[in-house]
Amino acid sequence: MKDPHQLIKIEQAIEEKYGEDTVQDPKSSWTPGKEKQYLEQIKKLTKLEKTKEKVEVEGVLMPKKLFRKESTRTCQKCNVYSFDLKDDLYMAKFKCCYKCYLRIELKGKKNV
Ligand SMILES: [Zn+2]
């Protein structure tokens, strides 16, 4: 995977569609076979959502309904309410907005 954010998007999309149990931590046991599995699921997902409205997130088309969760729109770290779809993904995955995520990332790198 070239883009690490791509994985988050895919994971979230599958999670929304098939339930949380479908998604395991891809970083712990990521194999080409699993990647193929993921891509197959994405294909199915895309087909199912074909007729529905889509939004583009960082160049990837996603069904709009994936982003309707209002409860995840406020960052738990900086309390900023975000309209940014990118923040939605980060809040779902990391419980904070994109900016907070970057801050945490940078902090982590400095400590290494
Ligand atoms: Zn934040």
Side-chain angles (χ1 to χ4, degrees), residues 75-80 91 96-101 103:
C75 176
Q76 287 174 24
K77 297 230 188 297
C78 64
N79 281 324
V80 165
M91 281 178 202
C96 65
C97 68
Y98 181 60
K99 275 180 192 169
C100 286
Y101 171 74
R103 218 163 49 211

Side-chain angles (χ1 to χ4, degrees), residues 56-89:
E56 201 181 312
V57 183
E58 292 176 34
V60 177
L61 283 174
M62 301 284 281
K64 208 168 196 174
K65 68 182 190 112
L66 291 187
F67 302 102
R68 70 185 167 192
K69 278 187 189 168
E70 293 301 317
S71 56
T72 59
R73 303 226 69 143
T74 306
C75 176
Q76 287 174 24
K77 297 230 188 297
C78 64
N79 281 324
V80 165
Y81 184 87
S82 174
F83 291 98
D84 194 339
L85 289 176
K86 192 160 71 182
D87 283 339
D88 255 30
L89 293 167

